[in-house]
Amino acid sequence: MAGCCTFRYGTVAALTRSLRVGEQCVRMFEGYRLPKYVCSIIRATPQRSISALGVLRDQEWPVPPFGTHASSPPLARRPSHPLGIIKTSIYEYLQKADPALKTFDDLYPVVTVKANFDDVLVPADHVSRNPNDTYYVSDATVLRCHTSAHQLELLKRGEPAFLITGDVYRRDSIDSTHYPVFHQMEGLRVLGPEDWGSMEPTQYAETQLKQTLEGLAQHLFGSVEMRWVDAYFPFTEPSFELEILFKGEWLEVLGCGVTQQSIVDDGGFAGRKAWAFGLGLERLAMVLFDIPDIRLFWTEDSRFLSQFKAGSMKTKFKPYSKYPPCFKDVAFWLSDSFTENNLCEVVRAVAGDLVEEVKLIDSFTHPKTGKTSHCYRIAYRSMQRSLTDEEINELQWTVRRDIENQLKVELR
Ligand code: PHE
């Protein structure tokens, strides 16, 4: 599920690398194959319309349907979009308790590898650095995979208390809760001796962090049962996840912890402490507003959008129609380099938002050749209309062709 699950694994190891930023990183877009729909999201934001990005328009990626309405203004900055409503509600609550918190909603999503990983102490061998998980724009730049990519940058600008909201990008599987772009909110608060007084500083930070976030969860969900679970993030120690009991199930709502001291020190706040948290806005919105499919956030259909009102957290989404899904299977012998994320990328590049799920339904290893075959079931479904057999068959043929050509697998 879109949320905070990438950084749980691995061990902490500080890293340094010198990389260049600015103009340089933008020019590196050239010749690099990012899926076009990801590019169009970036381009859609006015202050992101850096001319060099225009280069991407000419690349060969087909444009999935949502590419053309890729959110301008960005979803979380629309006051009556579910993501904007939740963002505003969280800002209001947290800023009431702590007026010093400044908000940042328009930080550019292409960041250096250094900012995304090294600056927040993500180990060199951490899975999230793999191009199979993160969109590399160049060797030195990525589409941020979390808003933590801006922690150090803002600390260095002298900001001691901030909330960041932005689109984040992860290569992933396809189902109703995963989308290659989703939205996170990051919070960070620096504390000083004037705050912790005679208390042990880390203990104080942890206590204040937990109180703040428990209050936030109550603000959002009412009086629910909650629990804290120990977690691992490279940039915090100790680290926790907050879970709430929702419809009988424990649901992870955010990740957080006491910021690693070296980050606070590097940021220019030596002698102080900090806490930080990160949460996924789609996940919260899906639960709070009963939104069943993550693709709906990207629709411009007024039957969706008109159900939400700025300032109202009480809306329960009423599905306006549920068109039937259409299932197509594809089976092939794997190649060494095959990954499911790559498969999903190929399928989404062809079918865009018409693909609802890609699911492994059979795996078989030949006893003699040792070769492995996978069979995937692709669910096609539109939120807007019935799909015709003809168009699905055509999509499926293109999907099969592209799987064969791009993934170097042998179709069965
Ligand atoms: N960046 C983490 C994630 O995306 C969430 C997080 C933010 C955890 C800040 C701790 C502190 O998974």
Side-chain angles (χ1 to χ4, degrees):
M1 177 177 274
C4 311
C5 49
T6 299
F7 293 96
R8 279 189 198 138
Y9 314 101
T11 53
V12 180
L15 285 161
T16 47
R17 250 197 241 168
S18 59
L19 299 166
R20 283 191 288 169
V21 272
E23 262 297 288
Q24 183 74 15
C25 84
V26 174
R27 252 183 272 119
M28 286 181 191
F29 265 98
E30 284 177 56
Y32 201 89
R33 286 159 66 93
L34 276 178
K36 205 160 182 174
Y37 59 88
V38 169
C39 304
S40 48
I41 291 170
I42 300 174
R43 258 201 324 267
T45 322
Q47 89 282 355
R48 295 173 183 174
S49 57
I50 295 170
S51 60
L53 294 180
V55 174
L56 296 169
R57 209 164 294 151
D58 306 323
Q59 290 184 349
E60 285 148 23
W61 290 85
V63 191
F66 90 65
T68 48
H69 57 247
S71 104
S72 179
L75 303 182
R77 283 202 268 158
R78 300 184 189 185
S80 50
H81 188 276
L83 297 178
I85 296 170
I86 292 210
K87 181 200 77 174
T88 309
S89 170
I90 301 177
Y91 279 1
E92 275 171 14
Y93 175 80
L94 292 175
Q95 286 182 314
K96 202 163 156 203
D98 185 355
L101 285 167
K102 255 203 217 175
T103 59
F104 296 86
D105 285 3
D106 55 6
L107 300 174
Y108 191 55
V110 179
V111 300
T112 58
V113 168
K114 180 175 180 296
N116 198 72
F117 298 121
D118 304 347
D119 284 353
V120 281
L121 314 180
V122 176
D125 58 355
H126 195 276
V127 20
S128 64
R129 289 185 183 252
N130 194 315
N132 189 49
D133 288 52
T134 293
Y135 290 106
Y136 279 76
V137 175
S138 71
D139 284 349
T141 52
V142 294
L143 286 170
R144 66 183 165 213
C145 70
H146 57 164
T147 40
S148 304
H150 300 288
Q151 282 190 4
L152 191 66
E153 168 197 345
L154 289 185
L155 286 171
K156 282 191 168 164
R157 280 203 229 160
E159 301 291 350
F162 50 82
L163 299 168
I164 304 162
T165 304
D167 36 357
V168 299
Y169 299 77
R170 294 183 192 174
R171 298 182 91 236
D172 214 329
S173 49
I174 296 183
D175 62 35
S176 64
T177 60
H178 286 88
Y179 209 62
V181 44
F182 61 99
H183 295 76
Q184 278 192 333
M185 185 189 295
E186 187 92 2
L188 190 144
R189 182 70 168 107
V190 174
L191 306 165
E194 66 282 8
D195 297 302
W196 61 70
S198 59
M199 263 181 92
E200 199 281 311
T202 305
Q203 190 53 52
Y204 177 83
E206 180 183 328
T207 307
Q208 200 202 51
L209 168 69
K210 285 182 169 173
Q211 274 170 3
T212 306
L213 296 175
E214 282 169 19
L216 174 63
Q218 243 159 40
H219 167 71
L220 294 173
F221 294 95
S223 54
V224 282
E225 226 181 293
M226 307 179 206
R227 68 178 185 195
W228 288 100
V229 181
D230 286 337
Y232 163 79
F233 300 105
F235 24 91
T236 49
E237 176 62 34
S239 306
F240 311 96
E241 275 161 5
L242 178 60
E243 296 185 345
I244 60 159
L245 194 58
F246 191 83
K247 294 189 178 156
E249 275 181 50
W250 287 104
L251 177 88
E252 178 207 323
V253 285
L254 55 84
C256 67
V258 179
T259 305
Q260 291 282 0
Q261 197 55 39
S262 70
I263 300 177
V264 181
D265 295 351
D266 276 5
F269 290 90
R272 295 174 168 252
K273 279 265 138 205
W275 53 248
F277 71 85
L279 51 82
L281 290 179
E282 276 84 350
R283 162 179 289 203
L284 292 180
M286 288 177 84
V287 171
L288 285 165
F289 298 135
D290 277 353
I291 297 173
D293 191 307
I294 195 165
R295 293 174 299 168
L296 282 164
F297 291 102
W298 296 89
T299 186
E300 295 288 354
D301 194 319
S302 63
R303 288 172 297 176
F304 176 78
L305 294 174
S306 65
Q307 294 194 31
F308 301 93
K309 270 185 206 62
S312 171
M313 293 284 288
K314 294 270 177 277
T315 308
K316 295 289 174 212
F317 173 66
K318 288 180 209 67
Y320 36 88
S321 57
K322 189 97 174 162
Y323 295 98
C326 171
F327 300 101
K328 295 278 170 193
D329 295 350
V330 55
F332 47 82
W333 296 105
L334 302 191
S335 60
D336 289 344
S337 60
F338 173 81
T339 72
E340 281 190 19
N341 284 356
N342 284 343
L343 170 69
C344 289
E345 198 77 18
V346 169
V347 180
R348 214 189 284 271
V350 175
D353 277 8
L354 297 181
V355 49
E356 176 170 274
E357 188 170 38
V358 177
K359 195 167 153 192
L360 180 66
I361 54 165
D362 190 38
S363 173
F364 159 79
T365 302
H366 194 283
K368 291 216 177 84
T369 61
K371 285 206 292 184
T372 298
S373 143
H374 277 184
C375 180
Y376 289 89
R377 178 154 296 167
I378 305 175
Y380 296 97
R381 190 202 312 248
S382 164
M383 294 280 154
Q384 267 77 247
R385 61 193 175 84
S386 301
L387 300 173
T388 63
D389 276 349
E390 231 179 350
E391 85 185 296
I392 297 296
N393 286 337
E394 207 174 303
L395 283 176
Q396 182 69 4
W397 275 114
T398 316
V399 163
R400 288 175 65 86
R401 185 199 65 202
D402 288 1
I403 287 176
E404 191 167 37
N405 292 343
Q406 293 179 30
L407 303 179
K408 308 278 177 267
V409 298
E410 193 189 322
L411 293 179
R412 296 185 63 188

